[in-house]
Amino acid sequence: MSSRSTAQEPLPMGFFERHLTWWVALCIVAGTLLGLVAPSAAQAIGSLEVAQVNIPVGLLIWVMIIPMLMKIDFSALREVYQHRAGMGVTLSVNWLIKPFTMAAMAWLFIGLLFRPFLPDDQIDSYIAGLILLGAAPCTAMVFVWSNLCNGNANFTLTQVAVNDTIMIFAFAPIVALLLGVSTIPVPWDTLLLSVLMYIVIPLIIAQSLRRVLLNQGEAAYRAALERIGPFSMGALLLTLVLLFSFQGETLIRQPLIIGMLAVPIMLQTLLIAGLGYWMCRRLRVRYDVAGPAAMIGASNFFELAVAVAIVMYGFDSGAALATVVGVLIEVPVMLWLVRTVRRTRGWYESRV
């Protein structure tokens, strides 16, 4: 059976995904308490590094990312021309607009407006984390958002395949460019190592597993994804506990940091979703294509952003904290956007 049929019946949002915001909030509390009560345990885990890569977290991130990359069907690339208008919106928003608006939001709010209220030695790191968050479009959760807004499953599959192909080559240069413009030093060796470790190698493993499972039938493939899904979310949550065990003292001293970091992320999410949806309407793109086209840009591949932030700047960095805030607010904001897209279908189709 072809993998295209897999896209017709997306896997439902699981228990962890539905309540991700609350799980992340609990991880913040648990990690902060761990860092305050048993800082030596967190430091011991943080010291297990090889070539600037923390081994326990590296393994957790692979467990987190590989199941999501298994959902990508690169054979869908042949359908790009069929959905060319929607794909044009996706590519324009995700690669020509989104990384730069996120950087602009970071400079405005973190580098200027909120600067007096943030630790001065972490300003550049916060900005770097936000840049990392904005440089990679969503890979896995967009299947969920598309399903919830009655999106075209084949288009969703195609745009994910296209964006992930571009990300292999464009993620590092875009991040380096925006960090350079921000006068933040660019550790090219670490950045390229991150792309290799958290995009290329996991993608090869995931696609190999996907091929093996699909050879056994679509039922085997879907059953495997359902079985390993909780492990993926569990790895994400355990990674967050470790991250916040290093951030505990900072959060206790300045508890409003999370709120200040959330402002540019939330505004960016709303801006990109609205822009993508509006562009689709102006180009008379079908409604079931416009929904996923808007959702993929508004959402982020936050798992990758967290991984790269840890490798480039460390557990206790502002960059790691900024990417985690993206995880915290993504689900409630994206669910609100899904409801908005569904409610505005009449308005959208009144012109298309």
Side-chain angles (χ1 to χ4, degrees):
M1 184 176 294
S2 72
S3 58
R4 180 184 299 182
S5 61
T6 303
Q8 302 295 337
E9 299 178 2
L11 293 169
M13 183 182 285
F15 176 75
F16 283 107
E17 290 89 345
R18 285 198 305 273
H19 304 287
L20 183 58
T21 297
W22 295 110
W23 290 115
V24 172
L26 288 174
C27 288
I28 291 175
V29 174
T32 301
L33 291 176
L34 176 64
L36 295 175
V37 174
S40 58
Q43 294 292 335
I45 295 174
S47 65
L48 299 175
E49 292 186 350
V50 174
Q52 294 183 291
V53 176
N54 184 272
I55 302 303
V57 174
L59 293 175
L60 285 173
I61 288 171
W62 274 27
V63 174
M64 182 198 318
I65 290 179
I66 287 175
M68 299 176 183
L69 296 178
M70 286 173 63
K71 298 178 181 179
I72 302 169
D73 180 6
F74 284 104
S75 68
L77 290 171
R78 61 176 175 265
E79 298 184 12
V80 170
Y81 184 77
Q82 177 184 343
H83 300 292
R84 55 192 177 277
M87 196 60 62
V89 172
T90 289
L91 296 180
S92 298
V93 169
N94 282 286
W95 299 107
L96 300 180
I97 298 174
K98 180 185 176 183
F100 304 95
T101 55
M102 186 72 261
M105 293 276 190
W107 297 329
L108 174 62
F109 287 97
I110 305 304
L112 183 62
L113 298 180
F114 296 155
R115 177 179 283 272
F117 311 103
L118 293 168
D120 190 62
D121 62 338
Q122 290 287 358
I123 296 294
D124 284 350
S125 189
Y126 292 140
I127 292 174
L130 294 176
I131 287 172
L132 289 170
L133 199 61
C138 186
T139 289
M141 289 297 285
V142 71
F143 291 106
V144 174
W145 310 136
S146 175
N147 189 34
L148 292 176
C149 67
N150 300 320
N152 183 290
N154 285 333
F155 172 75
T156 304
L157 196 64
T158 304
Q159 70 170 357
V160 170
V162 171
N163 276 284
D164 276 51
T165 301
I166 294 174
M167 185 163 56
I168 294 172
F169 305 100
F171 179 78
I174 288 176
V175 168
L177 171 64
L178 293 174
L179 291 178
V181 172
S182 304
T183 66
I184 299 172
V186 181
W188 266 105
D189 54 344
T190 307
L191 180 56
L192 293 176
L193 176 64
S194 300
V195 171
L196 178 65
M197 287 191 58
Y198 299 121
I199 299 179
V200 178
I201 295 177
L203 189 59
I204 293 171
I205 295 173
Q207 288 297 299
S208 299
L209 291 173
R210 174 188 173 88
R211 186 175 300 109
V212 170
L213 289 169
L214 284 174
N215 285 339
Q216 300 173 22
E218 185 181 336
Y221 165 77
R222 291 177 63 85
L225 284 183
E226 289 177 352
R227 284 197 303 270
I228 65 179
F231 290 99
S232 178
M233 283 295 107
L236 169 63
L237 298 177
L238 185 53
T239 301
L240 298 187
V241 170
L242 293 175
L243 276 173
F244 279 97
S245 70
F246 283 88
Q247 300 283 351
E249 288 189 16
T250 300
L251 294 178
I252 294 299
R253 290 197 308 268
Q254 293 178 294
L256 293 179
I257 287 178
I258 290 179
M260 286 185 278
L261 290 172
V263 171
I265 298 173
M266 186 174 298
L267 291 177
Q268 160 83 351
T269 302
L270 298 175
L271 169 66
I272 293 301
L275 178 62
Y277 198 47
W278 174 80
M279 288 173 66
C280 284
R281 189 170 187 263
R282 293 287 294 178
L283 293 172
R284 301 184 181 276
V285 174
R286 282 170 24 195
Y287 169 82
D288 66 340
V289 169
M295 293 298 110
I296 194 170
S299 189
N300 300 302
F301 192 176
F302 54 74
E303 298 86 356
L304 174 64
V306 170
V308 177
I310 292 172
V311 174
M312 290 180 65
Y313 299 101
F315 266 124
D316 56 348
S317 66
L321 179 61
T323 58
V324 169
V325 174
V327 186
L328 179 65
I329 69 170
E330 171 150 331
V331 172
V333 174
M334 291 303 298
L335 286 174
W336 180 83
L337 286 172
V338 165
R339 288 194 293 270
T340 300
V341 168
R342 291 173 64 97
R343 286 197 302 265
T344 58
R345 180 168 187 169
W347 165 81
Y348 186 92
E349 294 184 333
S350 66
R351 185 170 177 182
V352 178

